[in-house]
Amino acid sequence: MKKAGLFFLLISSLAMAQKSSLEQKINSITTGKKATVGVSVLGFENNFKYSKNGDKELPMLSVFKFHIGCAVLNLVDKGKLSLDQKLFFKKEDMLENTWSPIRDKYPDANVSLSLGEVLDYTVALSDNNGCDLLLKLIGGTQTVQKFMDSKGVKGVQIKRNEDDMHKNWKTQYDNVSTPNSAVLVLKKFYDGKLLSKKSTDYLMQIMLGTKTGTNKIVEQLPKSTPVAHKTGASGKYEKGLTVAENDIGIITLPNGKHYAIAVFVNNSTESDAVNCRMVSDISKAVWDDFNK
């Protein structure tokens, strides 16, 4: 056998061993848990792939704010919007029974914030009122869906805004992504296939500054690790049901290489602490596997 063939076999066997080792670790984390767990991992430079329930459509919750951010910045790239333009929040835009750092800071509303500020609140702080104002600005969830479709992003459906999901929690099941879709769209984003370089860098910096979900994929990684991520979480509903506890992100390794990870915990009757710990433990297992 030629040297090239031997080298290919060696690389293939190493990849298979890595995948088998990771699968064992993740199965040990998820086995016995009363939840559906979807995981997908994609190595950017070595094209390593692993998934568990990778093609299963699972509720995104606020993970969809990454997709919204991309759709907004696409319109900035086209000159239809400007990061400096002002968005005015009326009192009726500041819904009370929802997560909203904007409302907490401006309880009386009637305030103008730049599009850039609202985008930062929406992605880095997962603000629901900011999210819905952005959707209103760009023409609704259908604009986000059309943008993703135009970029060849498969396995994602975006139909509901935050207000819809708070009025009827069961509509949270209408915004879905497969874990595999989540890592592939992150790779497209990283490669500059969704947005201009300027907008890609801009959104990457926002995601690196994400302040939600500190007990998820970032929790057990070294503190200096760059993690550009977007979290999502539901509340608890009938019989202690958690619709979703999610996190997706791009991780930069100490050697400068990267991987994308998506962890979706769905239809769980475990506690919030157990759900988040599963995400955290899976993230640590993947990190350890890439840093052998």
Side-chain angles (χ1 to χ4, degrees):
M1 185 178 288
K2 294 182 179 179
K3 288 183 178 180
L6 286 170
F7 180 74
F8 177 77
L9 282 176
L10 176 61
I11 294 298
S12 296
S13 63
L14 288 172
M16 288 295 291
Q18 182 184 2
K19 189 177 294 186
S20 176
S21 170
L22 185 59
E23 184 172 28
Q24 289 176 10
K25 291 177 184 177
I26 290 175
N27 283 342
S28 71
I29 293 165
T30 61
T31 297
K33 302 297 193 302
K34 298 184 287 292
T36 297
V37 182
V39 182
S40 189
V41 181
L42 175 62
F44 285 4
E45 288 80 15
N46 65 2
N47 202 37
F48 171 81
K49 296 177 183 177
Y50 166 81
S51 70
K52 177 185 179 69
N53 292 318
D55 290 323
K56 192 174 183 65
E57 292 185 342
L58 300 171
M60 284 191 285
L61 278 296
S62 286
V63 164
F64 85 141
K65 290 168 184 166
F66 164 74
H67 302 75
I68 292 168
C70 289
V72 169
L73 286 168
N74 173 59
L75 294 174
V76 172
D77 286 340
K78 291 182 174 181
K80 295 181 179 180
L81 297 175
S82 166
L83 290 171
D84 295 325
Q85 74 183 76
K86 296 296 184 179
L87 301 185
F88 185 71
F89 285 84
K90 297 177 288 188
K91 188 66 176 177
E92 53 265 37
D93 296 322
M94 297 292 201
L95 302 181
E96 291 294 330
N97 296 316
T98 193
W99 171 258
S100 181
I102 295 175
R103 183 202 59 235
D104 294 345
K105 186 171 183 178
Y106 305 103
D108 297 325
N110 296 321
V111 62
S112 291
L113 300 177
S114 71
L115 175 60
E117 287 177 286
V118 177
L119 197 55
D120 188 67
Y121 269 109
T122 298
V123 178
L125 291 171
S126 211
D127 194 290
N128 293 335
N129 288 325
C131 170
D132 281 2
L133 199 64
L134 288 177
L135 285 172
K136 190 183 297 184
L137 175 70
I138 66 174
T141 55
Q142 60 267 33
T143 300
V144 186
Q145 186 69 56
K146 286 177 183 176
F147 174 65
M148 289 295 144
D149 292 345
S150 75
K151 295 298 182 178
V153 178
K154 308 292 185 183
V156 65
Q157 173 182 280
I158 298 172
K159 295 175 67 175
R160 303 289 186 174
N161 66 12
E162 287 289 352
D163 190 30
D164 290 336
M165 292 187 281
H166 282 77
K167 285 176 178 174
N168 179 0
W169 67 268
K170 292 182 180 179
T171 63
Q172 293 174 13
Y173 291 96
D174 292 338
N175 289 347
V176 297
S177 173
T178 68
N180 287 341
S181 174
V183 296
L184 287 171
V185 76
L186 287 173
K187 181 64 162 62
K188 280 180 179 282
F189 167 68
Y190 177 83
D191 288 342
K193 294 179 179 178
L194 295 183
L195 302 167
S196 69
K197 185 179 187 308
K198 183 178 180 181
S199 289
T200 298
D201 291 346
Y202 185 84
L203 186 53
M204 187 73 78
Q205 286 303 309
I206 289 177
M207 294 171 70
L208 285 165
T210 290
K211 296 175 179 63
T212 57
T214 55
N215 58 347
K216 295 185 187 179
I217 64 175
V218 302
E219 182 180 44
Q220 298 183 64
L221 305 189
K223 297 304 180 187
S224 60
T225 305
V227 181
H229 67 126
K230 182 70 202 82
T231 61
S234 70
K236 278 199 171 292
Y237 303 101
E238 297 171 357
K239 298 179 181 178
L241 176 72
T242 297
V243 174
E245 196 71 69
N246 303 333
D247 206 353
I248 70 169
I250 298 169
I251 316 294
T252 302
L253 294 160
N255 62 9
K257 295 183 178 180
H258 310 81
Y259 63 89
I261 181 172
V263 186
F264 290 73
V265 178
N266 169 238
N267 282 348
S268 175
T269 53
E270 302 287 349
S271 68
D272 290 341
V274 168
N275 291 330
C276 291
R277 187 68 186 193
M278 275 194 283
V279 178
S280 174
D281 285 345
I282 290 168
S283 176
K284 180 62 161 57
V286 173
W287 172 269
D288 288 346
D289 215 63
F290 271 87
N291 283 283
K292 284 179 178 177

Short mmCIF file of all heavy atoms in Angstrom, two decimals, residues 110-133:
data_model
loop_
_atom_site.label_atom_id
_atom_site.label_comp_id
_atom_site.label_asym_id
_atom_site.label_seq_id
_atom_site.Cartn_x
_atom_site.Cartn_y
_atom_site.Cartn_z
N ASN A 110 -40.23 54.73 26.26
CA ASN A 110 -40.08 55.99 25.52
C ASN A 110 -38.60 56.38 25.40
O ASN A 110 -38.20 57.50 25.74
CB ASN A 110 -40.88 57.11 26.19
CG ASN A 110 -42.37 56.82 26.16
OD1 ASN A 110 -42.89 56.30 25.17
ND2 ASN A 110 -43.07 57.14 27.23
N VAL A 111 -37.80 55.40 24.92
CA VAL A 111 -36.37 55.61 24.81
C VAL A 111 -35.92 55.15 23.42
O VAL A 111 -36.47 54.20 22.85
CB VAL A 111 -35.61 54.83 25.91
CG1 VAL A 111 -35.83 53.32 25.79
CG2 VAL A 111 -34.13 55.15 25.90
N SER A 112 -34.92 55.83 22.87
CA SER A 112 -34.35 55.46 21.58
C SER A 112 -32.96 54.85 21.79
O SER A 112 -32.13 55.43 22.49
CB SER A 112 -34.23 56.69 20.68
OG SER A 112 -35.49 57.15 20.27
N LEU A 113 -32.76 53.69 21.19
CA LEU A 113 -31.46 53.04 21.24
C LEU A 113 -31.01 52.77 19.81
O LEU A 113 -31.84 52.56 18.92
CB LEU A 113 -31.54 51.71 22.00
CG LEU A 113 -32.00 51.76 23.46
CD1 LEU A 113 -32.10 50.35 24.02
CD2 LEU A 113 -31.04 52.59 24.29
N SER A 114 -29.72 52.74 19.59
CA SER A 114 -29.23 52.45 18.25
C SER A 114 -29.48 50.98 17.91
O SER A 114 -29.60 50.13 18.81
CB SER A 114 -27.74 52.74 18.14
OG SER A 114 -26.98 51.78 18.86
N LEU A 115 -29.54 50.69 16.62
CA LEU A 115 -29.72 49.31 16.19
C LEU A 115 -28.60 48.44 16.74
O LEU A 115 -28.84 47.30 17.17
CB LEU A 115 -29.74 49.25 14.65
CG LEU A 115 -29.81 47.87 14.01
CD1 LEU A 115 -31.07 47.12 14.43
CD2 LEU A 115 -29.74 47.99 12.49
N GLY A 116 -27.38 48.97 16.76
CA GLY A 116 -26.26 48.21 17.31
C GLY A 116 -26.45 47.86 18.77
O GLY A 116 -26.15 46.74 19.20
N GLU A 117 -26.96 48.81 19.54
CA GLU A 117 -27.22 48.55 20.96
C GLU A 117 -28.29 47.48 21.14
O GLU A 117 -28.15 46.59 21.99
CB GLU A 117 -27.69 49.84 21.65
CG GLU A 117 -26.62 50.88 21.88
CD GLU A 117 -27.19 52.13 22.51
OE1 GLU A 117 -27.88 52.90 21.80
OE2 GLU A 117 -26.97 52.34 23.73
N VAL A 118 -29.35 47.56 20.36
CA VAL A 118 -30.44 46.59 20.48
C VAL A 118 -29.96 45.20 20.08
O VAL A 118 -30.33 44.20 20.69
CB VAL A 118 -31.66 47.03 19.64
CG1 VAL A 118 -32.77 45.98 19.73
CG2 VAL A 118 -32.18 48.38 20.11
N LEU A 119 -29.11 45.14 19.07
CA LEU A 119 -28.56 43.86 18.64
C LEU A 119 -27.71 43.25 19.75
O LEU A 119 -27.78 42.04 20.02
CB LEU A 119 -27.72 44.07 17.38
CG LEU A 119 -27.37 42.85 16.53
CD1 LEU A 119 -28.61 42.09 16.11
CD2 LEU A 119 -26.57 43.29 15.32
N ASP A 120 -26.93 44.07 20.42
CA ASP A 120 -26.10 43.59 21.53
C ASP A 120 -26.97 43.09 22.68
O ASP A 120 -26.73 42.02 23.24
CB ASP A 120 -25.18 44.72 22.01
CG ASP A 120 -24.17 44.23 23.02
OD1 ASP A 120 -23.29 43.43 22.65
OD2 ASP A 120 -24.27 44.61 24.21
N TYR A 121 -28.00 43.86 23.04
CA TYR A 121 -28.94 43.41 24.08
C TYR A 121 -29.59 42.09 23.69
O TYR A 121 -29.77 41.20 24.54
CB TYR A 121 -30.04 44.46 24.28
CG TYR A 121 -29.74 45.51 25.34
CD1 TYR A 121 -29.47 46.83 24.97
CD2 TYR A 121 -29.77 45.19 26.70
CE1 TYR A 121 -29.23 47.80 25.94
CE2 TYR A 121 -29.52 46.16 27.66
CZ TYR A 121 -29.25 47.46 27.28
OH TYR A 121 -29.02 48.42 28.24
N THR A 122 -29.96 41.96 22.42
CA THR A 122 -30.72 40.79 21.97
C THR A 122 -29.88 39.53 21.95
O THR A 122 -30.34 38.45 22.35
CB THR A 122 -31.31 41.06 20.58
OG1 THR A 122 -32.21 42.17 20.66
CG2 THR A 122 -32.06 39.84 20.05
N VAL A 123 -28.63 39.64 21.50
CA VAL A 123 -27.79 38.45 21.38
C VAL A 123 -26.98 38.19 22.65
O VAL A 123 -27.05 37.10 23.23
CB VAL A 123 -26.85 38.56 20.16
CG1 VAL A 123 -25.93 37.33 20.07
CG2 VAL A 123 -27.66 38.70 18.87
N ALA A 124 -26.25 39.17 23.13
CA ALA A 124 -25.37 38.97 24.29
C ALA A 124 -26.14 38.83 25.60
O ALA A 124 -25.71 38.13 26.51
CB ALA A 124 -24.36 40.11 24.41
N LEU A 125 -27.30 39.51 25.69
CA LEU A 125 -28.09 39.47 26.92
C LEU A 125 -29.44 38.78 26.72
O LEU A 125 -30.23 38.67 27.66
CB LEU A 125 -28.32 40.88 27.45
CG LEU A 125 -27.07 41.59 27.99
CD1 LEU A 125 -27.37 43.05 28.29
CD2 LEU A 125 -26.55 40.90 29.24
N SER A 126 -29.71 38.35 25.50
CA SER A 126 -30.92 37.59 25.16
C SER A 126 -32.21 38.33 25.48
O SER A 126 -33.20 37.74 25.93
CB SER A 126 -30.91 36.22 25.87
OG SER A 126 -31.58 35.26 25.09
N ASP A 127 -32.23 39.62 25.23
CA ASP A 127 -33.39 40.45 25.55
C ASP A 127 -34.56 40.12 24.63
O ASP A 127 -34.46 40.21 23.41
CB ASP A 127 -33.02 41.93 25.41
CG ASP A 127 -34.05 42.84 26.04
OD1 ASP A 127 -35.16 42.94 25.50
OD2 ASP A 127 -33.76 43.43 27.09
N ASN A 128 -35.71 39.77 25.22
CA ASN A 128 -36.87 39.38 24.43
C ASN A 128 -37.59 40.56 23.80
O ASN A 128 -38.10 40.46 22.68
CB ASN A 128 -37.85 38.57 25.29
CG ASN A 128 -37.28 37.23 25.70
OD1 ASN A 128 -36.40 36.69 25.03
ND2 ASN A 128 -37.77 36.69 26.80
N ASN A 129 -37.66 41.69 24.49
CA ASN A 129 -38.29 42.87 23.90
C ASN A 129 -37.46 43.43 22.75
O ASN A 129 -38.01 43.86 21.73
CB ASN A 129 -38.53 43.94 24.97
CG ASN A 129 -39.64 43.56 25.93
OD1 ASN A 129 -40.62 42.93 25.55
ND2 ASN A 129 -39.51 43.93 27.20
N GLY A 130 -36.15 43.41 22.92
CA GLY A 130 -35.27 43.83 21.84
C GLY A 130 -35.41 42.92 20.63
O GLY A 130 -35.45 43.39 19.48
N CYS A 131 -35.51 41.63 20.89
CA CYS A 131 -35.69 40.64 19.83
C CYS A 131 -36.92 40.94 18.99
O CYS A 131 -36.86 41.00 17.75
CB CYS A 131 -35.81 39.25 20.46
SG CYS A 131 -36.30 37.95 19.32
N ASP A 132 -38.04 41.17 19.66
CA ASP A 132 -39.29 41.37 18.92
C ASP A 132 -39.32 42.70 18.18
O ASP A 132 -39.93 42.81 17.10
CB ASP A 132 -40.50 41.24 19.85
CG ASP A 132 -40.85 39.79 20.14
OD1 ASP A 132 -40.13 38.90 19.63
OD2 ASP A 132 -41.83 39.54 20.86
N LEU A 133 -38.63 43.72 18.71
CA LEU A 133 -38.56 44.98 17.97
C LEU A 133 -37.70 44.82 16.72
O LEU A 133 -38.02 45.38 15.66
CB LEU A 133 -38.00 46.09 18.86
CG LEU A 133 -38.30 47.52 18.36
CD1 LEU A 133 -39.80 47.80 18.36
CD2 LEU A 133 -37.58 48.56 19.21
#
